[in-house]
Amino acid sequence: MPELPDVEIYRKEAGKARDATIDEVKITDKEFIDITPQVAGKSIKGTKITNAARRGKYLWLELDHQHSVVMHFGMTGLLQYTPTKEEAPEYTKCSFVLDNKHSLHYISKRKLGFLKLSGDIGSFIQEQDLGPDALELKEEEFIDRLKKKRSMIKTALNDQSLIAGIGNIYADEILYQAGIHPKTGTGDLTEKEFKELYKQNKKVLETAIEKEADVSRFPEDYLLPHREEGTDCSKCSGKIKKIKVGGRGTYYCPSCQKKK
DNA sequence: CATAATGTTTAAGA
DNA sequence: GTCTTAAACATTAT
């Protein structure tokens, strides 16, 4: 489930490969991986991983030859760092075999993400029209950006050009914690509610990272561990309800997230 | 078998 | 042109 907290975990995983040299690039799904064996051999093999960087849901492996590998995880992708002698996980699309007896595996069941060679990170962000990372934003800009969009608040939170990193399920969690109905129009929110959103955005994402994006370890009053229609709300006596917002499944408590 | 699923891009509508 | 919404994409699990 790769949203900001998940990708941050992968970034830490990739960080274990820092200063290792890439001995080999194994491409196991040619259709999916946008790197030809020639390019891999010429531009990636033999280079050193100098850093792992993240913005929103995108992850970069920075190499010492002024380029980098950029990856996106779609809905089912993940990154794993394992001893090379272990077999690559199922659905592995591409593996970087390192000189420290470990390998980094890009894994995905479906084909919605990508992994490719990227030059300068800044120009990539511009091309993608990617907004600032949800954890880097100051309160004022966070609120200003949301106000610019005239849509339901959940749709605005999911807009990567406004704020990068919040996906479908974390938008639900943030709105649940803030006590705001997901269909509320951005124009109908009060200043107080915007501030609460900012506060919960930070808290929810940081908590998720601290728990290594493992929902079973989330606090008891979070929505995510019991994101199911009809279950009891952890904050009041209401029952969790499922609706569609902008075409996506959305869970909320009708009793503590009242519509205006 | 039909439906929904954490994602982004596109095409269409206002 | 600009902004917003809905459909399309690929594959698996229920």
Side-chain angles (χ1 to χ4, degrees), chain A residues 4 14 23 29 31 84 150 165 235 250 254:
Chain A
L4 187 151
D23 279 343
D29 187 340
E31 270 178 71
T84 299
R150 257 191 305 277
K235 294 182 184 292
T250 300

Side-chain angles (χ1 to χ4, degrees), chain A residues 166-182:
Chain A
I166 306 169
N168 191 40
I169 64 174
Y170 281 97
D172 280 6
E173 185 68 63
I174 291 164
L175 289 164
Y176 179 73
Q177 295 301 328
I180 296 169
H181 192 291

Side-chain angles (χ1 to χ4, degrees), chain A residues 48-260:
Chain A
K48 192 161 86 174
I49 295 174
T50 54
N51 192 33
R54 182 190 63 75
R55 170 130 156 186
K57 305 170 189 171
Y58 292 83
L59 181 69
W60 285 266
L61 290 182
E62 297 183 63
L63 308 174
D64 62 358
H65 283 39
Q66 77 228 359
H67 50 242
S68 57
V69 171
V70 59
M71 34 188 114
H72 190 279
F73 298 93
M75 292 209 267
T76 57
L78 67 150
L79 197 64
Q80 271 185 9
Y81 180 77
T82 62
T84 299
K85 62 174 191 230
E86 283 179 20
E87 203 180 334
E90 197 179 4
Y91 303 114
T92 293
K93 307 278 186 199
C94 179
S95 302
F96 298 94
V97 182
L98 309 171
D99 66 349
N100 63 2
K101 301 239 186 343
H102 283 72
S103 292
L104 262 183
H105 303 286
Y106 178 100
I107 306 152
S108 187
K109 270 186 193 171
R110 283 194 260 164
K111 298 188 172 177
L112 292 180
F114 62 79
L115 183 157
K116 62 185 181 186
L117 204 62
S118 152
D120 170 45
I121 293 181
S123 48
F124 179 90
I125 287 169
Q126 255 194 342
E127 272 171 45
Q128 295 283 324
D129 191 21
L130 191 61
D133 189 81
L135 283 177
E136 301 281 307
L137 276 167
K138 299 266 185 297
E139 182 184 77
E140 196 186 348
E141 202 190 349
F142 180 89
I143 295 174
D144 282 351
R145 284 181 163 265
L146 288 177
K147 278 182 179 167
K148 271 198 287 189
K149 183 135 178 157
R150 257 191 305 277
S151 68
M152 296 179 280
I153 183 60
K154 176 170 178 182
T155 309
L157 285 170
N158 278 336
D159 188 333
Q160 302 299 302
S161 69
L162 291 179
I163 298 164
I166 306 169
N168 191 40
I169 64 174
Y170 281 97
D172 280 6
E173 185 68 63
I174 291 164
L175 289 164
Y176 179 73
Q177 295 301 328
I180 296 169
H181 192 291
K183 282 193 169 181
T184 312
T186 52
D188 295 329
L189 286 167
T190 63
E191 205 61 28
K192 199 179 152 200
E193 288 173 314
F194 273 120
K195 287 189 173 173
E196 186 62 18
L197 270 179
Y198 176 76
K199 198 175 131 195
Q200 295 303 337
N201 163 71
K202 208 172 169 56
K203 202 175 120 198
V204 166
L205 295 178
E206 281 173 355
T207 303
I209 290 169
E210 187 194 315
K211 305 290 180 194
E212 296 177 299
D214 178 352
V215 295
S216 66
R217 293 173 56 198
F218 281 17
E220 207 22 61
D221 68 333
Y222 270 44
L223 173 67
L224 251 61
H226 14 259
R227 195 170 181 269
E228 198 181 334
E229 178 145 45
T231 51
D232 295 331
C233 172
S234 61
K235 294 182 184 292
C236 72
S237 54
K239 299 262 187 220
I240 299 301
K241 206 179 160 194
K242 184 187 181 185
I243 55 172
K244 284 224 170 206
V245 178
R248 321 303 306 248
T250 300
Y251 295 81
Y252 77 108
C253 171
S255 159
C256 46
Q257 295 169 268
K258 290 254 195 283
K259 187 145 66 176
K260 299 206 179 178

